[in-house]
Amino acid sequence: PQGSEEAKAFVNAFLKRSMPKMKDEAIQDILTRKAVVLEHYSKKKKKQKRKKTKGFTAKQRREMRLFEIEPEQQRYTIFLPLHELWKQYIRDLCHGLKPDAQPHMVQGKLLKADLHGAIVTVTKSKCPSYVGITGIILQEFKHVFKIITKEDKLKVVPKLNNVFSLEIDGFISYIYGSKFQLRASERSAKKFKLKGTIDL
C-alpha cells in the first residue's frame, strides 16, 4: 500500500492473521514500541511408537521343534548338495584355495567360516566312541555339532574334549572343540590363536 492509512490497515490485518491469539489492544501496544515478533504455531506430530518384534523364546522353539530334523529327512544323500555349496563357499572365501595359498591364512578363514555343510571327522576324543565319526554338519550349536553320517545316522557330538578335522581341496584343518565353543554367528568376531596345541 502507498498511503499511510492503507499501510496501517494492512499491517493491522497482517498482524491479526499472524498472531490470532493476541487481542487488538496487545497488538496496538506492540506497534507503539515499533517492535513486532511474529509467532509461529506448528502442530506437533505425535511420534508413533515402534513395536518391537519379539522373537521366540528357547522354550517356544523347543515346543515348536524348530531345530529338529524329521526322521525321513535324515539321509546323507539329501545333504550332499549342501556340502558342494559349502565347498564353493570356502573356495570363494579363500580366493580359490590355490596351491600357493598360505596355510595360516586358510586356517584363519576356516575358523571363522560357517561350517554347515562341511564334512568333518572326529580324530581325537576323551570318549573313544566318538573317534572316527565322519559326516556332514547339519547344525552347529554353542556346545555341539549335529552330524549326519554315511549310514544315515544323526549323531550329536559335543565340541568339548574333541578334535575335529575337515578337508577341502587337499587342505586339512583341525578344530579343537574345547576352544571352539561358540555359536556360528559369534565366531566371525572372535580372534583365534593359530599356534599351540591342546592336550585332551
Side-chain angles (χ1 to χ4, degrees):
Q2 300 299 318
S4 60
E5 290 299 323
E6 291 177 354
K8 188 176 180 180
F10 171 79
V11 171
N12 282 329
F14 175 75
L15 291 176
K16 283 182 180 180
R17 287 197 306 272
S18 300
M19 297 183 290
K21 293 186 178 181
M22 293 190 71
K23 295 181 179 179
D24 290 345
E25 295 81 5
I27 291 174
Q28 292 301 323
D29 184 54
I30 290 172
L31 284 172
T32 55
R33 287 184 272 124
K34 297 181 181 180
V36 179
V37 179
L38 300 180
E39 297 176 7
H40 176 69
Y41 295 96
S42 60
K43 292 182 180 180
K44 292 183 179 179
K45 293 182 180 179
K46 291 182 179 180
K47 291 183 179 179
Q48 293 181 347
K49 292 182 179 179
R50 290 183 180 179
K51 292 182 179 180
K52 293 183 179 179
T53 53
K54 292 183 179 180
F56 295 117
T57 63
K59 184 180 179 181
Q60 288 173 325
R61 286 196 292 267
R62 284 194 299 270
E63 289 173 351
M64 295 171 72
R65 302 173 66 188
L66 290 179
F67 296 118
E68 290 187 24
I69 300 169
E70 298 297 331
E72 60 271 16
Q73 299 293 325
Q74 295 177 15
R75 294 187 1 238
Y76 185 82
T77 52
I78 290 178
F79 297 99
L80 280 174
L82 176 65
H83 175 60
E84 293 302 318
L85 285 172
W86 180 82
K87 286 198 294 186
Q88 189 57 51
Y89 154 67
I90 295 298
R91 290 183 189 120
D92 293 342
L93 188 68
C94 299
H95 309 292
L97 279 174
K98 298 173 183 176
D100 59 347
Q102 296 179 347
H104 69 274
M105 184 275 292
V106 179
Q107 176 78 4
K109 296 273 188 184
L110 284 172
L111 288 174
K112 294 188 176 187
D114 192 323
L115 297 179
H116 293 90
I119 292 179
V120 295
T121 302
V122 181
T123 54
K124 290 183 181 179
S125 177
K126 277 193 173 181
C127 180
S129 62
Y130 287 128
V131 177
I133 292 176
T134 302
I136 300 172
I137 294 178
L138 299 188
Q139 292 172 313
E140 179 188 353
F141 299 97
K142 186 173 183 178
H143 298 291
V144 299
F145 287 123
K146 280 190 177 181
I147 299 170
I148 186 80
T149 67
K150 288 182 179 180
E151 294 78 27
D152 296 337
K153 291 183 178 179
L154 188 65
K155 302 280 187 179
V156 179
V157 182
K159 294 179 180 179
L160 186 65
N161 298 326
N162 286 324
V163 179
F164 304 86
S165 68
L166 60 90
E167 185 269 336
I168 177 169
D169 294 348
F171 183 86
I172 299 173
S173 176
Y174 292 94
I175 296 169
Y176 290 87
S178 301
K179 296 293 182 180
F180 210 68
Q181 296 189 81
L182 295 163
R183 293 180 179 88
S185 58
E186 296 171 352
R187 284 206 314 273
S188 59
K190 172 75 174 175
K191 289 186 178 179
F192 292 95
K193 293 180 180 178
L194 300 181
K195 293 183 180 180
T197 57
I198 303 169
D199 293 329
L200 293 179

